[in-house]
Amino acid sequence: MSAAAVAETVFAAFHAGGRDLRLECRWIESDRPRAPLLVFLHEGLGSVSMWKDWPQQVCEASGCRGLVYSRYGYGQSTPRPSEEKWPADFMHREAREVLPALLEALDVDARRDKPVLFGHSDGGSIALLYAAMHPDAVAGVVAAAPHIFVEDVSVASIAQARQAYLDTDLRARLGRHHADPDSAFWGWNDIWLDPGFRAWNLEEYLPRIACPVLAIQGVDDEYGTLAQIRGIRRFAPQTELLEIPGCRHSPHRDQPTSVIQAVAGFVGGLEKPR
């Protein structure tokens, strides 16, 4: 992060989804209130700290201010009790209830200052759902390696992650980024491996998306095939696709320069608010 990129960590307290939440947030360039707002939604095991300085790099390249946050159960946010299991519609609830409540708690008027959402993996799915549910409160969506339905390859890789959590130092490594790594890991892993989750699908929501969409996926993604982002364009034809060779499930880590350039170009091409 350059000296010009100012970051500030805060906690937002609010009620959503039937519970009181305290979510870890990081503002980037918060002293530039007129700049477009880019909101980062992390993957199934992500958090504020796991993004490292990539959001700052994107904000610098695109002339944006940024908001990075850890969802319930992740990072330094309110942990998930061990007995609580995520429902199959957890991503729908994040999009419908939690993200709007978070923006309101942070005094972001999303209908006036429409944010651009950058979501990775589960975060990409949440970003797409938010755009479908709140079409007047979003300027654009960048979905990196999102899921729109459950594939065999996704389940197989998540099962491998479960074994790695039990047999390797994965728990210790996640502990560097989460106050309660078990909260983060088992919440995500248990629902994705629940047989009932195989029917999860968000395709019916995609035609409701009115804003521009950039869908990014690595050709070698171990958690999903290119059918995911191609499916987005089938239902939302305004979608621009970026399929990156030599790239796995985390395009912003595997090919950071290509993704930064793509996001900056996408944001720069959006219609500016009047």
Side-chain angles (χ1 to χ4, degrees), residues 40-42 47-55 68 118 252:
F40 296 83
L41 293 86
H42 62 72
S47 69
V48 166
S49 66
M50 283 188 72
W51 287 105
K52 299 185 178 178
D53 69 344
W54 193 79
V68 191
F118 182 100
H252 62 289

Side-chain angles (χ1 to χ4, degrees), residues 35-40 58-59 61-65 114-118 139-142 212 214 240 259-273:
L37 175 61
L38 190 52
V39 179
F40 296 83
V58 177
C59 288
S62 59
C64 290
R65 58 197 168 106
K114 302 180 192 298
V116 180
L117 306 182
F118 182 100
V141 170
V142 182
L214 171 62
E240 176 187 351
V259 178
I260 288 171
Q261 291 174 346
V263 175
F266 177 77
V267 172
L270 295 175
E271 182 179 353
K272 300 297 186 290

Side-chain angles (χ1 to χ4, degrees), residues 132-156:
M133 295 173 179
H134 311 280
D136 59 341
V138 59
V141 170
V142 182
H147 308 283
I148 63 171
F149 58 90
V150 179
E151 294 184 282
D152 290 343
V153 65
S154 308
V155 174

Side-chain angles (χ1 to χ4, degrees), residues 6-64:
V6 178
E8 175 191 10
T9 300
V10 299
F11 285 86
F14 57 95
H15 186 85
R19 61 173 63 87
D20 292 324
L21 299 176
R22 185 173 183 267
L23 299 190
E24 173 192 22
C25 305
R26 178 173 298 164
W27 283 109
I28 302 165
E29 300 285 13
S30 59
D31 58 342
R32 299 173 57 199
R34 297 184 64 84
L37 175 61
L38 190 52
V39 179
F40 296 83
L41 293 86
H42 62 72
E43 63 186 295
L45 292 178
S47 69
V48 166
S49 66
M50 283 188 72
W51 287 105
K52 299 185 178 178
D53 69 344
W54 193 79
Q56 286 92 337
Q57 295 180 46
V58 177
C59 288
E60 288 181 347
S62 59
C64 290

Side-chain angles (χ1 to χ4, degrees), residues 61-107:
S62 59
C64 290
R65 58 197 168 106
L67 171 63
V68 191
Y69 74 101
S70 298
R71 294 195 297 275
Y72 167 59
Y74 291 95
Q76 306 305 310
S77 294
T78 302
R80 174 192 60 87
S82 60
E83 68 276 7
E84 180 182 310
K85 304 300 181 185
W86 287 4
D89 65 345
F90 75 96
M91 287 184 264
H92 293 67
R93 295 184 184 192
E94 285 286 333
R96 182 183 298 111
E97 303 171 29
V98 181
L99 181 52
L102 170 64
L103 294 174
E104 182 178 0
L106 293 171
D107 294 324

